[in-house]
Short mmCIF file of all heavy atoms in Angstrom, two decimals:
data_model
loop_
_atom_site.label_atom_id
_atom_site.label_comp_id
_atom_site.label_asym_id
_atom_site.label_seq_id
_atom_site.Cartn_x
_atom_site.Cartn_y
_atom_site.Cartn_z
N LEU A 1 -5.87 -1.77 -8.71
CA LEU A 1 -5.59 -0.85 -7.66
C LEU A 1 -4.26 -0.08 -7.80
O LEU A 1 -3.83 0.60 -6.89
CB LEU A 1 -5.53 -1.69 -6.28
CG LEU A 1 -6.92 -2.36 -5.93
CD1 LEU A 1 -6.70 -3.21 -4.68
CD2 LEU A 1 -8.03 -1.21 -5.66
N ALA A 2 -3.52 -0.40 -8.86
CA ALA A 2 -2.28 0.19 -9.11
C ALA A 2 -2.27 1.68 -9.11
O ALA A 2 -1.41 2.46 -8.51
CB ALA A 2 -1.56 -0.28 -10.37
N ASP A 3 -3.35 2.31 -9.75
CA ASP A 3 -3.50 3.81 -9.82
C ASP A 3 -3.77 4.35 -8.41
O ASP A 3 -3.32 5.44 -8.08
CB ASP A 3 -4.60 4.18 -10.73
CG ASP A 3 -4.19 3.84 -12.18
OD1 ASP A 3 -2.98 3.80 -12.43
OD2 ASP A 3 -5.15 3.75 -13.03
N LYS A 4 -4.53 3.66 -7.60
CA LYS A 4 -4.86 4.11 -6.27
C LYS A 4 -3.64 4.07 -5.49
O LYS A 4 -3.49 4.91 -4.53
CB LYS A 4 -5.95 3.15 -5.67
CG LYS A 4 -6.59 3.81 -4.43
CD LYS A 4 -7.91 2.98 -4.06
CE LYS A 4 -8.57 3.71 -2.86
NZ LYS A 4 -9.76 2.91 -2.52
N MET A 5 -2.70 3.21 -5.63
CA MET A 5 -1.44 3.12 -4.97
C MET A 5 -0.62 4.39 -5.19
O MET A 5 0.02 4.84 -4.26
CB MET A 5 -0.67 1.88 -5.45
CG MET A 5 0.71 1.74 -4.88
SD MET A 5 0.73 1.27 -3.16
CE MET A 5 2.55 1.07 -2.87
N ASN A 6 -0.75 4.95 -6.29
CA ASN A 6 -0.06 6.17 -6.71
C ASN A 6 -0.72 7.44 -6.41
O ASN A 6 -0.22 8.55 -6.68
CB ASN A 6 0.41 6.17 -8.16
CG ASN A 6 1.35 4.96 -8.45
OD1 ASN A 6 2.16 4.59 -7.65
ND2 ASN A 6 1.04 4.24 -9.58
N SER A 7 -2.01 7.37 -5.90
CA SER A 7 -2.80 8.58 -5.71
C SER A 7 -3.35 8.71 -4.35
O SER A 7 -3.67 9.88 -3.96
CB SER A 7 -3.93 8.62 -6.73
OG SER A 7 -4.79 7.45 -6.46
N SER A 8 -3.37 7.68 -3.60
CA SER A 8 -3.91 7.79 -2.23
C SER A 8 -2.81 7.47 -1.11
O SER A 8 -2.27 6.32 -1.09
CB SER A 8 -5.05 6.79 -2.03
OG SER A 8 -5.48 6.68 -0.69
N VAL A 9 -2.56 8.49 -0.28
CA VAL A 9 -1.55 8.22 0.70
C VAL A 9 -1.94 7.17 1.69
O VAL A 9 -1.20 6.44 2.23
CB VAL A 9 -1.22 9.59 1.38
CG1 VAL A 9 -2.45 10.13 2.12
CG2 VAL A 9 -0.08 9.40 2.41
N ILE A 10 -3.19 7.15 2.06
CA ILE A 10 -3.71 6.21 3.02
C ILE A 10 -3.59 4.75 2.39
O ILE A 10 -3.14 3.87 3.12
CB ILE A 10 -5.28 6.46 3.36
CG1 ILE A 10 -5.33 7.79 4.05
CG2 ILE A 10 -5.78 5.30 4.22
CD1 ILE A 10 -6.73 8.21 4.39
N PHE A 11 -4.01 4.57 1.18
CA PHE A 11 -3.94 3.26 0.46
C PHE A 11 -2.50 2.85 0.41
O PHE A 11 -2.06 1.68 0.58
CB PHE A 11 -4.56 3.27 -0.90
CG PHE A 11 -4.59 1.95 -1.53
CD1 PHE A 11 -5.65 1.06 -1.25
CD2 PHE A 11 -3.60 1.54 -2.44
CE1 PHE A 11 -5.64 -0.21 -1.84
CE2 PHE A 11 -3.66 0.35 -2.97
CZ PHE A 11 -4.62 -0.52 -2.68
N GLN A 12 -1.57 3.75 0.02
CA GLN A 12 -0.17 3.52 -0.22
C GLN A 12 0.52 3.02 1.08
O GLN A 12 1.21 1.97 1.11
CB GLN A 12 0.56 4.81 -0.66
CG GLN A 12 2.06 4.51 -1.05
CD GLN A 12 2.72 5.82 -1.40
OE1 GLN A 12 3.11 6.66 -0.63
NE2 GLN A 12 3.05 6.00 -2.72
N ASN A 13 0.28 3.67 2.21
CA ASN A 13 0.84 3.30 3.52
C ASN A 13 0.25 2.00 4.03
O ASN A 13 0.87 1.16 4.55
CB ASN A 13 0.63 4.39 4.51
CG ASN A 13 1.76 5.52 4.32
OD1 ASN A 13 2.71 5.44 4.91
ND2 ASN A 13 1.42 6.49 3.55
N SER A 14 -1.05 1.75 3.73
CA SER A 14 -1.75 0.52 4.14
C SER A 14 -1.12 -0.60 3.38
O SER A 14 -0.92 -1.71 3.93
CB SER A 14 -3.25 0.62 3.91
OG SER A 14 -3.79 1.68 4.67
N PHE A 15 -0.86 -0.44 2.12
CA PHE A 15 -0.24 -1.48 1.24
C PHE A 15 1.19 -1.77 1.76
O PHE A 15 1.65 -3.01 1.81
CB PHE A 15 -0.18 -1.10 -0.19
CG PHE A 15 0.50 -1.99 -1.07
CD1 PHE A 15 -0.04 -3.20 -1.47
CD2 PHE A 15 1.84 -1.72 -1.47
CE1 PHE A 15 0.71 -4.11 -2.24
CE2 PHE A 15 2.54 -2.66 -2.27
CZ PHE A 15 2.01 -3.77 -2.60
N LEU A 16 1.90 -0.67 2.09
CA LEU A 16 3.26 -0.86 2.64
C LEU A 16 3.28 -1.70 3.91
O LEU A 16 4.11 -2.42 4.15
CB LEU A 16 3.97 0.44 2.80
CG LEU A 16 4.32 1.21 1.48
CD1 LEU A 16 4.94 2.61 1.91
CD2 LEU A 16 5.27 0.39 0.61
N ILE A 17 2.30 -1.38 4.71
CA ILE A 17 2.19 -2.09 6.07
C ILE A 17 1.94 -3.56 5.84
O ILE A 17 2.60 -4.43 6.33
CB ILE A 17 1.17 -1.49 6.92
CG1 ILE A 17 1.52 -0.10 7.42
CG2 ILE A 17 0.85 -2.31 8.18
CD1 ILE A 17 0.51 0.71 8.11
N LEU A 18 0.91 -3.89 5.04
CA LEU A 18 0.38 -5.21 4.84
C LEU A 18 1.25 -6.03 3.79
O LEU A 18 1.63 -7.14 4.03
CB LEU A 18 -1.08 -5.23 4.38
CG LEU A 18 -2.11 -4.67 5.48
CD1 LEU A 18 -3.54 -4.60 4.85
CD2 LEU A 18 -2.07 -5.54 6.66
N GLY A 19 1.38 -5.37 2.67
CA GLY A 19 2.10 -6.05 1.55
C GLY A 19 3.58 -6.17 1.66
O GLY A 19 4.10 -7.15 1.16
N VAL A 20 4.22 -5.18 2.31
CA VAL A 20 5.64 -5.10 2.38
C VAL A 20 6.10 -5.66 3.75
O VAL A 20 6.79 -6.67 3.90
CB VAL A 20 6.29 -3.78 2.00
CG1 VAL A 20 7.81 -3.86 2.19
CG2 VAL A 20 5.95 -3.40 0.55
N GLU A 21 5.76 -4.90 4.70
CA GLU A 21 6.37 -5.04 6.11
C GLU A 21 5.85 -6.43 6.69
O GLU A 21 6.66 -7.20 7.20
CB GLU A 21 5.98 -3.94 7.06
CG GLU A 21 6.45 -2.57 6.62
CD GLU A 21 8.02 -2.51 6.65
OE1 GLU A 21 8.63 -3.36 7.31
OE2 GLU A 21 8.54 -1.65 5.95
N ILE A 22 4.63 -6.75 6.65
CA ILE A 22 4.13 -7.99 7.21
C ILE A 22 4.29 -9.15 6.24
O ILE A 22 4.81 -10.13 6.60
CB ILE A 22 2.62 -7.89 7.70
CG1 ILE A 22 2.55 -6.73 8.70
CG2 ILE A 22 2.09 -9.12 8.17
CD1 ILE A 22 1.16 -6.34 9.22
N PHE A 23 3.66 -8.99 5.03
CA PHE A 23 3.71 -10.11 4.10
C PHE A 23 5.10 -10.57 3.51
O PHE A 23 5.38 -11.71 3.48
CB PHE A 23 2.76 -9.83 2.96
CG PHE A 23 2.50 -10.87 1.96
CD1 PHE A 23 2.06 -12.11 2.35
CD2 PHE A 23 2.79 -10.70 0.57
CE1 PHE A 23 1.77 -13.16 1.53
CE2 PHE A 23 2.56 -11.78 -0.29
CZ PHE A 23 2.11 -13.05 0.13
N SER A 24 5.84 -9.41 3.21
CA SER A 24 7.10 -9.70 2.62
C SER A 24 8.32 -9.75 3.56
O SER A 24 9.35 -10.32 3.19
CB SER A 24 7.42 -8.61 1.49
OG SER A 24 6.38 -8.56 0.52
#
């Protein structure tokens, strides 16, 4: 999913919400 992280604004922000703000 790394490429999707760099190409999809929805996926990027969703990852930042779940992976960074909540999880980390």
